[in-house]
Amino acid sequence: MKIALIGPPKSGKTTIFNALTGADHEVDKYSPAASEANIGIVQVTDERITWLSELYQPKKTIYANIEFHDFPGIFARESDNPETAIYPDIKSCEAFVLIIRVFKDEELDELYGEADPLKTLSHFEDEMILADMLVVEKRLEKILLGYKRGVKTPTIQIEEKALNRILEQLQANNSIRDMDFPPEEEKAIRGFQFFSAKPLLILLNSSESGFKKQEEALSAIRKRGFLAQVIAGKFEQELSSLSEEDTELFLADMGMELSIKDRLSMLCYELLGLISFFTVGSDEVRAWSIPKGTNAVNAAGKIHSDLARGFIRAECFTYDALTLHGSEKHLREKGLFRLEGKEYIVQDGDILNIRFSV
Ligand SMILES: Nc1nc2c(ncn2[C@@H]2O[C@H](COP(=O)(O)OP(=O)(O)OP(=O)(O)O)[C@@H](O)[C@H]2O)c(=O)[nH]1
Ligand SMILES: [Mg+2]
C-alpha cells in the first residue's frame, strides 16, 4: 500500500515522515523543496499476527506494511509549477494524506500566509480539480480528433462518456471521489489516476500547546466529509529519539495511547476501507489487507494469481475462534472449520487456506 504525504511547502511533511519511519531527513524553513520523495516502509502493528506467530512458530512472520512517500510541497500559491514532474509519482499512490500547518510560526506566516486550515483545504481541492480538468480536456480533444480520423471503438466511446461526466463534475467544482462509475467506465478511466478521485485524509500539524485547540477546525473539515485528525509533528519527531517507556508517558500526557505510526496506520485502513485476513502455517504467518467486501476468490488473488485462477474452496476459521479454542484440531471438532466458495465475503480476522488446482 503506497500512501502519499502531500501538502503546501513547509507544512511539516518531512517532520511527520521522520516521526513515522524513524528516518532523519533534514527539516528546515528555508531550504528549497527537494526534487523527489523520501520513501519509508512502516510495519503495521497487529497483535493478532504476533499471537499467531507464537502459536505456529513459522520460519517467517510477515506483518502488513505501508509505504509512505514524503513529497515536496505542491500547489504553492505563487509557484510556476516546478512540481509538475512529481505529479505522476504522487498520483501513483493509492491515497493521500494532506498535511496542513496549524502551528504558528512568524517566518512561515510571512512566507506562506497565516495558518488557515479550511482555506488551505479548499485551495488543495481546487488545485486537484484544476489539475484533473486539464488532463480530461486534453484527452477529450484527442478522442475527438481520433473520431474525425475514423477511430471510434466502443471502448473509446465508453471512455469519452465517462470523461464528459467527469468534466461536468469538475466544472461544477466537485471532486471525482464523490462520483459513482459503472465497472466498464471505472476500468476505462482507472489509468488516469485522477488527483481528486483519491481517498484523502487531512492531518492538521499543530504545536504541542495548540494540540487540543483544533476542535473547531477539525469538526468543520469532518463536516465536509473528510477523515481528519490533529498531530503534533515536531513533538512526535522528538519522541522518536526517546525510550519506549518515556514515549508512552509523553503520549499519555497528550491523551494518546498509540504511537504516531499505529495511529496513522489505523487511519489509512479506515480511509481505504481495508480489513485484514491471515494465512498461517509452519512456513509463514502473514497478514494481508483487502478492501471490505472482497470475496474469497479475489482475496486468494491477492496472495497469488494462480490461487484465484485455480480456486476450488477456501478453508476458513476465525482468529477469535482460534484464540478461544487453542488449536485447529479443536476447531474442527467444534465444527468451526468452514469450507467457503468463491463468493464468500472475507471478514476481518479470517484465517484462510486456499485450495486450488492449476
Ligand atoms: N513549531 C513547529 N514547527 C514545526 C512543526 N512541524 C514542522 N515544523 C517546522 O517547520 C519547518 C518545515 O518542516 P518540514 O518537515 O521540513 O516541512 P515540509 O512540509 O517537509 O517542507 P517541504 O518539503 O519543503 O515542503 C521546519 O523548520 C520544522 O522544524 C510543528 O509541529 N511545530
Ligand atoms: Mg519535506
Side-chain angles (χ1 to χ4, degrees):
M1 184 190 330
K2 270 166 68 175
I3 306 281
L5 306 183
I6 60 168
K10 308 299 169 199
S11 65
K13 300 174 291 299
T14 302
T15 303
I16 289 173
F17 175 84
N18 285 344
L20 271 173
T21 60
D24 192 19
H25 292 286
E26 192 189 359
V27 293
D28 78 274
K29 287 185 211 173
Y30 307 109
S31 65
S35 57
E36 44 184 58
N38 301 311
I39 300 175
I41 295 179
V42 157
Q43 185 172 294
V44 179
T45 309
D46 191 333
E47 285 167 2
R48 297 172 296 182
I49 285 290
T50 312
W51 190 89
L52 289 168
S53 181
E54 265 162 37
L55 183 69
Y56 286 90
Q57 298 286 324
K59 295 193 195 101
K60 268 190 296 184
T61 299
I62 305 178
Y63 291 80
N65 63 49
I66 302 180
E67 204 177 288
F68 286 103
H69 292 229
D70 162 36
F71 287 97
I74 54 168
F75 302 150
R77 266 154 237 239
E78 317 245 326
S79 86
D80 48 357
N81 266 349
E83 310 92 345
T84 314
I86 61 167
Y87 284 4
D89 289 343
I90 297 178
K91 286 160 52 163
S92 76
C93 293
E94 279 151 76
F96 301 156
V97 177
L98 171 57
I99 295 169
I100 299 179
R101 173 172 74 93
V102 291
F103 63 84
K104 179 112 193 96
D105 184 300
E106 272 166 23
E107 285 156 316
L108 291 176
D109 285 355
E110 184 92 7
L111 285 165
Y112 300 104
E114 261 185 58
D116 183 340
L118 288 161
K119 197 164 147 197
T120 306
L121 173 56
S122 295
H123 174 67
F124 261 70
E125 288 188 276
D126 291 348
E127 290 288 336
M128 290 195 197
I129 286 170
L130 194 66
D132 288 346
M133 201 143 46
L134 292 175
V135 172
V136 173
E137 282 170 348
K138 216 162 129 194
R139 176 63 191 151
L140 278 170
E141 260 172 44
K142 235 182 169 168
I143 290 178
L144 292 183
L145 212 68
Y147 284 175
K148 280 188 194 147
R149 294 206 195 100
V151 190
K152 196 169 191 173
T153 64
T155 320
I156 294 186
Q157 282 174 290
I158 290 170
E159 184 188 338
E160 189 218 355
K161 189 168 157 233
L163 290 177
N164 274 314
R165 274 210 304 132
I166 288 176
L167 189 59
E168 230 173 83
Q169 173 89 351
L170 297 170
Q171 280 166 343
N173 208 30
N174 292 318
S175 295
I176 301 171
R177 80 177 67 81
D178 301 328
M179 299 175 73
D180 286 315
F181 296 96
E184 72 276 9
E185 286 190 14
E186 199 278 323
K187 194 170 157 216
I189 59 160
R190 199 181 295 155
F192 291 107
Q193 304 262 31
F194 291 117
F195 272 116
S196 75
K198 301 280 180 179
L200 185 64
L201 164 69
I202 314 298
L203 279 190
L204 302 183
N205 185 19
S206 153
S207 64
E208 191 185 339
S209 58
F211 186 78
K212 292 192 172 128
K213 297 176 192 151
Q214 304 303 328
E215 283 313 315
E216 207 177 305
L218 267 186
S219 76
I221 291 169
R222 288 175 181 153
K223 264 204 200 110
R224 289 202 198 166
F226 291 103
L227 193 59
Q229 259 322 330
V230 198
I231 207 153
K234 199 171 171 185
F235 170 76
E236 298 267 6
Q237 189 185 358
E238 284 158 4
L239 285 188
S240 58
S241 62
L242 299 180
S243 72
E244 210 169 296
E245 292 90 66
D246 285 348
T247 306
E248 271 175 27
L249 282 177
F250 276 108
L251 282 176
D253 222 35
M254 305 271 288
M256 289 178 289
E257 283 175 13
L258 300 174
S259 69
I260 180 173
K261 172 175 100 65
D262 290 347
R263 270 175 285 141
L264 202 54
S265 303
M266 282 167 65
L267 284 167
C268 289
Y269 270 63
E270 189 179 339
L271 181 70
L272 288 163
L274 297 176
I275 58 165
S276 304
F277 76 91
F278 310 118
T279 50
V280 297
S282 55
D283 268 348
E284 184 182 282
V285 163
R286 180 165 183 164
W288 304 87
S289 37
I290 48 170
K292 239 175 261 162
T294 300
N295 65 19
V297 68
N298 289 334
K302 171 95 189 177
I303 303 172
H304 197 287
S305 56
D306 282 353
L307 269 61
R309 214 153 31 90
F311 185 97
I312 301 170
R313 283 200 176 280
E315 297 175 345
C316 176
F317 52 96
T318 67
Y319 169 82
D320 287 344
L322 185 62
T323 53
L324 198 64
H325 298 286
S327 73
E328 286 187 31
K329 183 168 163 281
H330 286 121
L331 291 182
R332 279 182 206 275
E333 287 164 7
K334 301 256 181 230
L336 293 169
F337 209 93
R338 291 170 279 137
L339 285 177
E340 300 285 3
K342 283 185 179 177
E343 294 306 325
Y344 169 70
I345 301 298
V346 177
Q347 305 294 314
D348 187 52
D350 274 352
I351 298 173
L352 299 184
N353 178 31
I354 308 296
R355 288 205 202 147
F356 71 109
S357 88
V358 280

